[in-house]
Amino acid sequence: MTGGGPGPREQRLFIGGSWVAPDDGFYEVTDPATERVVGLAPEASRAQVHAAAAAAREAFGAWSRTPAEERGAVLARAADHIGRHLAAYADLAQAESGATTGTARGMQVGVGAARFRRYARPEPVEWPLPPQINEAGPFGSAAVMGALAVRQPVGVVTCITSYNNPWANPAGKIAPALAMGNTVVVKPAPQDPLSVFRMAEALEAAGVPPGVVNVVSGSTPGSGEAAVDSGDVDMVSFTGSTAVGQRIAEVCGRGMKRQLMELGGKGAAVVFDDADLASAVAGIGTTFSFYSGQICTAPTRVLVQRGVHDLLVRQLAAYAGHLQVGDPREKGTVVGPVISAAHRDRVESYVELGRKEGARVVAGGERPPLETGFYVAPTLLAECTPDMRVVREEIFGPVVVVLPFDDEDEAVALANDSDYGLIDYVWSGDVARAFRVARRLRAGGVGVNTVGRNMEAPFGGFKKSGVGRDVGSYALHAYSETQAIVWPG
């Protein structure tokens, strides 16, 4: 499965149940904290990606007819395998993504295993519908018609995953897709694909039949494009930027392929003057610490009522200033690196743009004095206005912008003045007001006095933040078609 001898490990592709040498060689995967090479990822050719889709198509019939209990048992065994190798898998995830140790073990590998276990439990796929009297049947006579709604697998699903979580994100696609009887072609993010191959190893060890799961990778857009445009693919599940999602949607539209899109976010955090500011600061502060702000659900756009504006800005600045930035393997590190030098430069360019636009840098704004690694200091920008690009565009880093508001209507208008609508947040001591405001926000989810999530609640976005909903039972709907069966009662 791998090359021998010294040097970085050469990873092979997983196609049709076999570990296959890549046609186009390998590329280096770099640790964003140390800048050392973690391993060599395979460069799949377009033909190999299409071969993976063909293998998934060939395996679909038998897998879709496999009893749900047996499919679930495979997922449960995969979860057990991941659990037994959690430490090693977390070390690799940390090396690839730059996550802190706690995040790599808990939020990455731990959540990945939990998602396999969640979808190992079969759920009903048939619902009887109330009988209906059909008074204008095709033969002109009344009839009582029975009906059954049946959830059927879509077919072959391409899963294109994001770099910020190489375990939870792929598992959240693969597990429900397999549970519903689909087969998959997985194209991981180019920055940290090696963890997804370990996931394939876990599924192989769990007894997944050949072709049911295929993993291909590449450092250029070509492999992803091939995974989308293959004629064997029926659905694309994508997590990533809105710009890339729009290009994928165009291809899917031409082929009438199903889509599930989790795209960008610019979450508004609305803080009223009666809010628990300590709770608000801790919640907003997760933008600085959680994946170093590389998360689409982060509360990056803070809207605060004028009565507490200055106080909240001071408290957020103090919070950011106390966060330890550095090697994610070191005890006490809260903020690790961003994924690459190119992304660090991009985030820093937004901070500089904010300065030029007139924002005031209250905290951060300078590169941390570390010898290696792609670090960005937790940065807070105040005195922002709604027209600034740092307010309107997704930065995807540890950068928070702050805007004041006077009343509830203005807060809602500012929050909704965005191309995005993934998750917003409201902090208020008046719970009735908080829920009232939440219902007015054009976002797929709203946290009231929390940044926590219920992992059975539907997840997805309004506007340019995505199409469709997943998580919990909603993911089973996302990876299925609904069929109606009707008969004379």
Side-chain angles (χ1 to χ4, degrees):
M1 194 181 77
T2 58
R9 176 180 182 177
E10 292 182 350
Q11 175 63 56
R12 295 195 172 200
L13 305 166
F14 189 56
I15 300 174
S18 298
W19 295 94
V20 180
D23 287 343
D24 296 340
F26 301 88
Y27 69 94
E28 294 181 346
V29 176
T30 303
D31 184 328
T34 65
E35 302 184 44
R36 299 192 186 104
V37 176
V38 177
L40 300 178
E43 290 273 16
S45 67
R46 182 176 177 83
Q48 285 181 309
V49 177
H50 282 182
R57 171 63 62 199
E58 183 176 356
F60 172 67
W63 180 250
S64 65
R65 294 189 297 271
T66 299
E69 291 76 13
E70 293 183 26
R71 297 196 299 257
V74 171
L75 299 180
R77 291 194 295 271
D80 290 342
H81 181 96
I82 294 167
R84 289 193 296 271
H85 295 82
L86 188 147
Y89 288 164
D91 287 347
L92 175 60
Q94 182 174 61
E96 287 191 288
S97 69
T100 61
T101 300
T103 295
R105 292 193 173 205
M107 298 302 298
Q108 293 189 347
V109 182
V111 170
R115 288 184 170 175
F116 277 102
R117 202 170 302 284
R118 161 64 179 85
Y119 294 105
R121 307 192 304 266
E123 293 190 14
V125 295
E126 299 181 356
W127 294 269
L129 304 177
Q132 183 183 58
I133 298 176
N134 185 342
E135 296 181 351
F139 305 109
S141 59
V144 176
M145 305 300 294
L148 189 69
V150 182
R151 216 159 47 189
Q152 298 276 19
V154 178
V156 176
V157 180
T158 284
C159 303
I160 303 179
T161 66
S162 58
Y163 69 72
N164 59 347
N165 196 323
W167 276 90
N169 185 265
K173 298 179 184 295
I174 296 168
L178 296 186
M180 272 308 309
N182 302 284
T183 54
V184 298
V185 177
V186 187
K187 164 57 178 69
Q191 297 92 336
D192 51 8
L194 302 177
S195 288
V196 183
F197 287 104
R198 302 290 78 73
M199 195 177 299
E201 285 181 353
L203 285 159
E204 181 185 37
V208 72
V212 170
V213 175
N214 306 270
V215 183
V216 293
S217 63
S219 63
T220 68
S223 54
E225 291 169 358
V228 171
D229 66 26
S230 166
D232 286 310
V233 170
D234 302 294
M235 175 180 172
V236 176
S237 175
F238 171 72
T239 299
S241 73
T242 295
V244 174
Q246 288 171 322
R247 294 197 292 272
I248 290 173
E250 291 174 0
V251 177
C252 288
R254 291 195 293 271
M256 297 302 293
K257 301 176 192 281
R258 285 279 299 278
Q259 303 168 46
L260 177 62
M261 299 278 187
E262 184 207 327
L263 306 177
K266 190 74 174 180
V270 180
V271 183
F272 286 97
D273 56 12
D274 62 351
D276 179 341
L277 293 190
S279 172
V281 168
I284 295 163
T286 60
T287 300
F288 303 134
S289 58
F290 197 45
Y291 300 129
S292 300
Q294 299 168 114
I295 183 166
C296 52
T297 59
T300 57
R301 191 166 46 110
V302 178
L303 313 176
V304 55
Q305 202 158 20
R306 289 188 189 276
V308 293
H309 174 275
D310 293 351
L311 178 58
L312 183 72
V313 168
R314 288 196 299 271
Q315 291 187 3
L316 274 173
Y319 186 96
H322 285 100
L323 298 176
Q324 182 171 322
V325 180
D327 190 324
R329 297 169 181 83
E330 294 294 329
K331 186 177 181 180
T333 294
V334 178
V335 183
V338 296
I339 194 66
S340 66
H343 189 56
R344 176 192 60 196
D345 294 346
R346 178 181 182 274
V347 175
E348 289 180 339
S349 73
Y350 267 106
V351 175
E352 184 58 31
L353 174 63
R355 283 193 177 102
K356 291 178 180 177
E357 291 180 313
R360 179 168 60 93
V361 179
V362 183
E366 302 294 335
R367 184 177 296 184
L370 299 167
E371 292 185 1
T372 61
F374 312 128
Y375 294 96
V376 176
T379 299
L380 182 66
L381 302 178
E383 299 176 17
C384 297
T385 57
D387 58 319
M388 292 180 176
R389 286 180 58 192
V390 290
V391 173
R392 305 202 67 81
E393 298 177 13
E394 184 178 37
I395 299 173
F396 218 61
V399 180
V400 170
V401 301
V402 184
L403 297 85
F405 70 86
D406 289 310
D407 57 29
E408 184 177 313
D409 287 342
E410 185 183 11
V412 171
L414 286 170
N416 288 338
D417 182 20
S418 173
D419 289 337
Y420 300 106
L422 189 56
I423 294 188
D424 288 342
Y425 305 87
V426 182
W427 272 274
S428 174
D430 183 342
V431 175
R433 173 167 67 175
F435 274 83
R436 181 173 67 244
V437 169
R439 289 177 179 273
R440 297 178 64 189
L441 297 177
R442 299 290 295 165
V446 181
V448 173
N449 293 326
T450 183
V451 293
R453 283 177 56 194
N454 181 322
M455 297 311 295
E456 291 296 316
F459 180 71
F462 287 16
K463 298 182 280 187
K464 291 185 180 180
S465 283
V467 177
R469 296 291 182 272
D470 68 352
V471 179
S473 295
Y474 296 90
L476 299 176
H477 286 286
Y479 293 98
S480 63
E481 297 277 16
T482 303
Q483 178 186 60
I485 300 176
V486 180
W487 66 91

